[in-house]
Amino acid sequence: MAGSAGAFVGGLFLHELDELTRLTDRELIERVRAVLCGSTYWEGGDLRADTGGLREYAPTELSLWSDPFGALSLDLEVRLGRAFEAALPSPRTNAYRRALRVVVATFEDAELVQRLQIDDPGGPGIMASATVMTLVDAIQWRWPLRVATTEPMWLGDLQSSYHHGTVYTAEYLDGLSASDFEIVLIDPWSIDSLPDAVLAVLERASCIIAVGRGPARMTLHDVVTRLGPPIALAIPDEPSAWWGQLFDALSHDEPIDVAAHGAHPDALIAGPRLGLDATASGRWASAVVDVIPTIGLVREYIPDFDYRFESGGASEISRQAIEFEAAVGAEAGPPPDPGFDVGGEAMAASPM
């Protein structure tokens, strides 16, 4: 069963398997098609190929997946695999990558999902990405990204991209910074020795990435229970092995759960069922442009940006945000309240 599309779909309907056996093939296709809509099925890249583009974008909750092994018959697995193939949307001509995104209740289920190899008939390949679900009230996120590290030896890797300084900035976190950060890299073994000032900054960080040292499952559990960030990542390798790929994917309008798994196959992530969409560059711009009009973005232009390249849409929305902030300067006063509601969950997006 491992590695099949049928097993993936079976995990989405674990408590409805008996009912599914009684459906016709056409009815199965419609049930699968319904669950593959919204944020569960993701394509990044060139959003201009979408009908309506980002003008019609709205985030939805990710589907819940549970281990179907032992409950799913071989016959139903085969039928679900065929229904999946029939229900899967055709890839956009200029798609960057396709992904199936789910939330799970356990670290074991997350590892199972990310080991699945799902066939993609006629497409560039499909990645299965799982997020261990946590209860989060709000996520602060913005472009250009603000990145920091508690380990100075990693700073060179973070600053090596020529997009540093424009699409993102990276600095050493010594506790003296008054900034908030979207992403902070830490050594999980050094948490006990971090100064109180650094811990205070970590409390405000949107995403904490625990780097290297030990199994990702244990590391992620430690970060979630001890620091409790809105988004937690564990990547068992040095930043030089994955930072460039992670940043590139975020720039290509991929959410951080998909970007992390694409950057490192053993990465594990914990976060909310609703809201991770806004970490993707294009969806973030679309989400905040109406809520925070002072950000300086023009909604009509957002779908026309090409997110297949870091120098495309992500650079453009970052440039506009930086130029707007420079133009208004101190005369603009404090930014408006960044909170806005996404499907009933309080979520926040901060422009600068």
Side-chain angles (χ1 to χ4, degrees):
M1 182 189 302
S4 73
F8 177 82
V9 177
L12 298 174
F13 295 102
L14 180 62
H15 302 294
E16 304 171 55
L17 295 181
D18 287 343
E19 176 189 348
L20 295 185
T21 61
R22 297 188 291 271
L23 298 182
T24 66
D25 288 345
R26 181 178 295 276
E27 290 170 333
L28 271 183
I29 292 171
E30 292 307 312
R31 289 291 294 274
V32 175
R33 181 174 288 127
V35 82
L36 291 182
C37 66
S39 298
T40 295
Y41 171 80
W42 191 277
E43 285 189 60
D46 188 356
L47 300 168
R48 296 172 297 180
D50 280 349
T51 301
L54 288 176
R55 297 180 183 89
E56 299 177 359
Y57 165 71
T60 60
E61 286 189 337
L62 299 180
S63 299
L64 178 64
W65 191 92
S66 300
D67 178 8
F69 291 86
L72 181 61
S73 69
L74 179 59
D75 179 68
L76 183 57
E77 178 189 351
V78 171
R79 292 187 63 208
L80 289 176
R82 292 172 179 166
F84 173 85
E85 182 175 338
L88 190 68
S90 298
R92 294 195 308 265
T93 302
N94 296 317
Y96 172 61
R97 181 163 53 196
R98 302 208 284 176
L100 298 170
R101 307 166 61 218
V102 295
V103 291
V104 296
T106 68
F107 297 108
E108 292 82 2
D109 280 357
E111 292 171 339
L112 278 174
V113 169
Q114 296 186 172
R115 285 199 298 265
L116 293 176
Q117 302 295 321
I118 299 176
D119 292 334
D120 181 15
I126 299 179
M127 175 191 301
S129 177
T131 297
V132 181
M133 186 167 55
T134 59
L135 301 177
V136 176
D137 292 330
I139 298 175
Q140 292 281 343
W141 204 264
R142 55 146 263 191
W143 287 80
L145 298 175
R146 297 162 296 184
V147 181
T149 175
T150 59
E151 303 298 320
M153 62 182 174
W154 296 335
L155 192 57
D157 294 326
L158 297 179
Q159 294 179 340
S160 61
S161 170
Y162 66 88
H163 294 292
H164 177 261
T166 54
V167 188
Y168 76 98
T169 58
E171 63 182 78
Y172 170 57
L173 181 57
D174 55 10
L176 301 179
S177 175
S179 298
D180 291 334
F181 296 96
E182 279 65 57
I183 299 174
V184 179
L185 281 64
I186 69 167
D187 178 350
W189 292 80
S190 69
I191 293 176
D192 290 334
S193 62
L194 292 175
D196 290 343
V198 171
L199 290 173
V201 175
L202 292 180
E203 289 180 356
R204 305 193 305 271
S206 303
C207 173
I208 294 178
I209 303 180
V211 178
R213 301 201 186 190
R217 182 194 303 188
M218 297 175 59
T219 302
L220 184 62
H221 179 269
D222 196 38
V223 171
V224 169
T225 55
R226 299 184 64 185
L227 299 176
I231 305 169
L233 266 169
I235 303 182
D237 211 340
E238 297 297 305
S240 59
W242 51 264
W243 168 253
Q245 296 94 314
L246 178 70
F247 165 73
D248 288 354
L250 291 170
S251 299
H252 296 159
D253 195 50
E254 289 194 342
I256 196 166
D257 50 312
V258 177
H261 187 46
H264 197 288
D266 296 323
L268 285 180
I269 183 170
R273 188 172 184 177
L274 177 67
L276 293 180
D277 290 18
T279 59
S281 54
R283 267 67 166 196
W284 173 83
S286 179
V288 304
V289 69
D290 289 335
V291 179
I292 312 175
T294 55
I295 195 172
L297 298 172
V298 180
R299 166 168 285 277
E300 286 71 20
Y301 296 161
I302 292 172
D304 296 326
F305 297 152
D306 189 343
Y307 291 88
R308 290 173 297 170
F309 311 98
E310 304 86 73
S311 57
S315 291
E316 185 62 26
I317 63 173
S318 297
R319 181 190 63 79
Q320 288 191 25
I322 291 172
E323 289 181 354
F324 177 80
E325 183 182 57
V328 298
E331 296 181 1
D337 182 354
F340 66 98
D341 186 67
V342 179
E345 178 177 283
M347 180 176 143
S350 174
M352 294 302 295

